[in-house]
Amino acid sequence: MPRITVPATSANVGVGYDCLGLALTLYAHFDVERADTLTITGCDEAYAGPDNLFYVSMCYALRTWGIEPFPIRLHIETDVPLARGLGSSSTLVVAGIYAAALLTDRELDRSEAVALATRMEGHPDNVAPAVYGSLVCSFTPAGVSPEGCDNELEPEEPRCILYDVASNLRFVCVIPPYEVRTSEARRVVPKTLALSDAVWQMGRIAGMTRGLETGDAELIAAANDDRLHEPYRRALIPDYDAVRACALEAGASTLWISGSGSTMCAVVSETNTSFCPVSKRVAEALRSRFPGFGVHILSCNATGVKVA
Ligand code: HSE
């Protein structure tokens, strides 16, 4: 069966609320082919029906192209945890759209995939790096509801700006055994901000993108001081302060909330990138202090979605 592989993503990257996202070396795999009846395996039975987000996204893409949806056999193998702020829903949306193209022999370019996926997700910050890989800054012209798909609207394509991420950087992702609901995490973010906070934020977004591009961990740490969402979301993650202190004490440069949480992403700069001593030290400290948590040492994925 053909296999579609989509990377996990860390949206926001601290200061880039709803516009920055980074692809990571943690993957969801989807084996898919046409079938007589819809069969979905490799996931909880509650998600094995026609409302599975992969299948909904596939049908959405097909209908957009004027094609009547058809049943498939789908097997999912994923290391991307559900509802933890690592883009699991984007992996399903992006893979579903690529499956629609694959199973109808349609050419699909990445910008069209991002446009379709953004209409499903509501904001491009997870789907754009899932499609392109690397670090992506994206913004959406008028027309997309920030809270999800709105078929009444005809959005223009999101604009995506791609940045390479320096090879000395590692992202130690700490995944608590509890979720933070994205709707709740969005509800606590104030809808307006002071001009002084907007100015504060703009300079730091430029600093963050340059720091990730050049591998300048000191610049990343200086820039990673968000005023839009993290101050309000920390309270939704009971272990935030302890995880941050532990990661920084063990050698991480800084830490951000991945997407809307609950995962936290510690940024580590390595001089020895084959052995990664600092990342290992940070991961070991976190594992011993938080035994029920998942801890992964990840790099930036530079390729995005793959179909094989
Ligand atoms: N940018 C989004 C948020 C990512 O922070 O709410 C989660 O969908």
Side-chain angles (χ1 to χ4, degrees):
M1 271 204 260
R3 167 166 278 207
I4 300 166
T5 297
V6 189
T9 48
S10 184
N12 302 328
V13 188
V15 284
Y17 182 66
D18 276 1
C19 57
L20 288 182
L22 177 73
L24 294 167
T25 52
L26 187 74
Y27 298 100
H29 305 283
F30 303 88
D31 300 317
V32 63
E33 63 185 3
R34 284 185 183 244
D36 294 331
T37 54
L38 176 65
T39 314
I40 302 178
T41 53
C43 64
D44 196 290
E45 211 165 299
Y47 301 114
D51 52 0
N52 181 288
L53 189 54
F54 175 107
Y55 191 63
V56 170
S57 306
M58 188 191 102
C59 294
Y60 175 69
L62 291 171
R63 289 200 183 97
T64 302
W65 301 328
I67 301 168
E68 191 54 34
F70 44 80
I72 54 167
R73 182 173 303 108
L74 168 66
H75 180 66
I76 303 172
E77 271 177 39
T78 185
D79 289 324
V80 185
L82 285 181
R84 292 291 188 280
L86 284 167
S88 62
S89 71
S90 292
T91 66
L92 292 158
V93 169
V94 168
I97 290 166
Y98 273 81
L102 175 75
L103 299 177
T104 57
D105 290 323
R106 184 187 170 95
E107 288 284 323
L108 176 65
D109 69 38
R110 290 180 195 248
S111 60
E112 183 183 10
V114 171
L116 285 166
T118 300
R119 294 194 65 179
M120 296 294 301
E121 281 276 273
H123 36 84
D125 55 341
N126 279 114
V127 295
V131 169
Y132 286 109
S134 305
L135 169 68
V136 184
C137 177
S138 46
F139 58 91
T140 308
V144 175
S145 151
E147 303 309 339
C149 178
D150 183 343
N151 293 321
E152 305 270 306
L153 298 170
E154 281 300 330
E156 295 171 50
E157 283 187 7
R159 299 294 298 258
C160 294
I161 306 108
L162 272 62
Y163 299 84
D164 290 335
V165 172
S167 60
N168 63 306
L169 296 176
R170 295 291 176 277
F171 304 93
V172 180
C173 285
V174 189
I175 308 168
Y178 46 83
E179 70 177 86
V180 169
R181 295 178 71 85
T182 299
S183 53
E184 172 67 0
R186 293 185 79 78
R187 195 187 60 74
V188 299
V189 175
K191 300 294 175 276
T192 57
L193 81 161
L195 179 63
S196 55
D197 288 337
V199 173
W200 171 279
Q201 202 80 15
M202 286 189 292
R204 282 165 179 78
I205 294 174
M208 177 62 80
T209 51
R210 174 59 64 88
L212 288 166
E213 228 179 358
T214 58
D216 181 343
E218 194 278 326
L219 176 58
I220 294 169
N224 185 37
D225 193 358
D226 172 75
R227 286 194 174 176
L228 261 59
H229 68 114
E230 291 211 358
Y232 312 98
R233 289 176 162 181
R234 284 171 194 177
L236 304 177
I237 306 172
D239 298 287
Y240 175 88
D241 287 337
V243 167
R244 183 183 183 89
C246 180
L248 266 50
E249 198 175 302
S253 299
T254 189
L255 175 141
W256 62 64
I257 298 172
S258 184
S260 56
S262 55
T263 294
M264 291 150 279
C265 181
V267 182
V268 173
S269 172
E270 295 287 5
T271 43
N272 182 343
T273 52
S274 47
F275 179 56
C276 293
V278 189
S279 308
K280 283 185 182 151
R281 195 168 70 229
V282 171
E284 274 161 25
L286 289 161
R287 284 187 189 118
S288 89
R289 174 83 196 276
F290 302 96
F293 290 35
V295 178
H296 298 287
I297 301 172
L298 305 174
S299 302
C300 177
N301 162 284
T303 54
V305 58
K306 281 202 158 171
V307 181

